[in-house]
Amino acid sequence: MKLLYDLNSLRPPRSGVGYYTQHLLEGLLKRNDIEELGGWVGSNYYNRRSVGSLLGEENSLQAGAQFSEGWKASMLRAARSLPGVYQGRTVVRRIKSASLRAECARRGFIYHETNFIASPYAGPNVVTIHDLSHRHFPEFHPQAAVDYLDRNLPDTLKQVHKVITVSEYTRRDAIDVYGLPEDKVVSIPLGVEPCFRPHRANDCESVLAELGLKQRGFILSVCTLQPRKNLTRLVAAFAKLPADLREAFPLVLIGAEGWMNSGLMRDIERLSQAKQIILPGYVARESLLKLYSSAAVFAYPSLFEGFGLPVAEAMASGVAVLTSNVTSLPEVTAGAALEVDPYSIDDIATGLERLLIDKALRDTLIIKGLARAAELTWDAMVRRTYAVYSSIAA
């Protein structure tokens, strides 16, 4: 079997799709039943050995422009909102890689596009769809990105032989929205890295001290600060908690600067001044792992998720989880979390208070969460993805 990938999602800084691609390729490179594995960035072809090098060296590919604040960020956001910018970038990338894709198709490679929109390909090919939030919440995305997906995704779904989704919820969603045949769409859950695990309290002391936190003495949320993650309602729900609970369990919000969040930042300001909400900014991965493990509650009342990997990572870290009762999240937690209505501030507040005052409930959810997270592995994702390749191999 010969496998081909678009490696652009491995560019730094890697997003969720980039890490999905990384874990898939890492698992496939361990197999000895793959004749050849390669991919492209621009007009450059990377063979099996060089793909392996890319995975371990995130900075070996040129980064796309990324600015979180200031005039450069404003200009970048404005440029990306211009009509045709996404489509233009796609056309340029396709032109650069056209000849190598044609050669790989001639040689019998199976092409797997891991990032929604597949390039034209004459051989067997697969695409992974991570969610359809652009259809359900277009207002939460740049209009140019929504237009790009609306224009190109239907053609991709017609071209490919199989569609992989990261949850059964997203599988049903893709079938319903695009009228796909049932047997064309396969659900393959994501996995949790082994580094997400319970840590000893002593090993976490220095990380907690830097932020003025206590072991099992804070609420943690990890996500991009954007509307779909529902942080405005989470902050409002936290503000409704009794003052003594807010003092004892501050809310720690960790995540990259997002968009459409000026109102959120205003809501946070008063509680932040009282040191009841903490915004650490960038947190190194090793520190983040220990914060996960040390929290009393992990709060993730997202409005829409194709999978919801932070919830699985929190369960694997041994923390009680509060999350939403909508989209894919109940499927991911499988009864191992406290589910709330994400549109109800009162419901979120009640759930937070219940978890904070009921240690027995937290302990029960920790045990269930660890068991559930153990079922979600990247190795299983790789095996099931390889089975999809086998089903379409010539």
Side-chain angles (χ1 to χ4, degrees):
M1 186 180 293
K2 301 174 184 177
L3 303 174
L4 178 70
Y5 301 86
D6 180 345
L7 302 176
N8 279 286
S9 64
L10 296 178
R11 291 177 182 271
R14 284 183 192 163
S15 64
V17 174
Y19 284 112
Y20 166 81
T21 305
Q22 174 183 327
H23 290 305
L24 174 62
L25 294 176
E26 284 174 340
L28 292 170
L29 287 172
K30 296 175 184 177
R31 300 183 66 105
N32 56 17
D33 53 358
I34 294 175
E35 179 182 350
E36 190 170 346
L37 186 153
W40 80 85
V41 175
S43 59
N44 296 321
Y45 178 79
Y46 293 79
N47 62 21
R48 184 179 188 130
R49 176 174 295 180
S50 54
V51 167
S53 298
L54 286 182
L55 298 178
E57 301 174 11
E58 184 172 340
N59 294 325
S60 59
L61 290 176
Q62 181 179 0
Q66 297 287 334
F67 306 103
S68 61
E69 57 186 20
W71 66 270
K72 290 183 178 180
S74 299
M75 291 185 65
L76 181 60
R77 285 192 291 269
R80 287 177 173 171
S81 67
L82 294 174
V85 65
Y86 280 84
Q87 191 67 21
R89 181 182 65 181
T90 298
V91 170
V92 170
R93 287 180 174 177
R94 287 180 177 176
I95 291 173
K96 288 182 175 180
S97 62
S99 60
L100 69 85
R101 280 185 284 113
E103 174 64 14
C104 287
R106 186 187 66 79
R107 294 177 56 198
F109 279 73
I110 295 172
Y111 161 41
H112 181 181
E113 176 53 62
T114 60
N115 192 16
F116 288 95
I117 306 301
S119 296
Y121 194 70
N125 55 118
V126 180
V127 70
T128 297
I129 304 300
H130 299 270
D131 66 66
L132 296 181
S133 59
H134 72 285
R135 292 296 300 265
H136 300 286
F137 291 98
E139 67 273 19
F140 292 166
H141 299 273
Q143 187 59 49
V146 174
D147 292 343
Y148 169 74
L149 288 168
D150 281 342
R151 182 182 301 113
N152 292 283
L153 190 51
D155 288 340
T156 285
L157 296 175
K158 291 177 184 176
Q159 169 185 301
V160 299
H161 295 73
K162 287 286 185 179
V163 177
I164 294 173
T165 64
V166 297
S167 65
E168 183 60 25
Y169 169 81
T170 303
R171 175 178 179 271
R172 294 303 328 168
D173 202 19
I175 290 170
D176 293 343
V177 170
Y178 292 103
L180 299 174
E182 295 264 352
D183 60 356
K184 187 173 183 175
V185 191
V186 180
S187 169
I188 302 178
L190 303 182
V192 180
E193 294 180 68
C195 58
F196 289 94
R197 56 178 176 81
H199 288 77
R200 294 182 302 178
N202 289 345
D203 295 336
C204 303
E205 285 180 353
S206 61
V207 173
L208 298 179
E210 290 177 4
L211 297 175
L213 299 172
K214 297 179 181 179
Q215 180 75 21
R216 299 300 189 191
F218 61 97
I219 304 166
L220 179 66
S221 190
V222 179
C223 61
T224 303
L225 306 185
Q226 56 159 296
R228 178 159 63 104
K229 302 305 181 180
N230 205 28
L231 291 178
T232 298
R233 289 189 182 90
L234 174 59
V235 169
F238 177 77
K240 295 190 70 171
L241 295 178
D244 60 336
L245 279 182
R246 296 199 307 271
E247 292 286 344
F249 299 95
L251 175 61
V252 180
L253 299 177
I254 296 176
E257 181 73 16
W259 51 91
M260 295 173 62
N261 61 7
S262 56
L264 169 65
M265 301 310 293
R266 286 194 301 269
D267 294 341
I268 287 173
E269 184 176 1
R270 176 179 60 85
L271 294 167
S272 178
Q273 290 175 349
K275 296 184 179 180
Q276 293 176 1
I277 288 185
I278 299 172
L279 295 170
Y282 171 75
V283 174
R285 184 173 177 81
E286 185 60 31
S287 297
L288 180 60
L289 297 174
K290 293 175 180 177
L291 288 172
Y292 262 111
S293 180
S294 302
V297 173
F298 182 77
Y300 199 83
S302 179
L303 297 176
F304 191 97
E305 295 292 328
F307 183 81
L309 189 55
V311 167
E313 293 170 343
M315 292 190 299
S317 301
V319 57
V321 172
L322 176 143
T323 193
S324 304
N325 61 3
V326 298
T327 66
S328 65
L329 291 163
E331 176 186 342
V332 172
T333 62
L338 182 62
E339 298 172 8
V340 298
D341 177 359
Y343 294 94
S344 170
I345 293 172
D346 288 341
D347 205 24
I348 298 171
T350 299
L352 287 174
E353 184 169 5
R354 183 182 173 195
L355 282 176
L356 292 174
I357 66 177
D358 190 343
K359 184 178 182 300
L361 175 59
R362 295 203 306 269
D363 290 344
T364 297
L365 291 181
I366 287 172
I367 293 171
K368 290 183 177 180
L370 288 168
R372 171 55 178 157
E375 298 172 349
L376 301 169
T377 69
W378 289 113
D379 285 345
M381 182 275 287
V382 172
R383 288 196 303 271
R384 295 179 64 181
T385 303
Y386 184 85
V388 172
Y389 301 156
S390 298
S391 73
I392 64 170

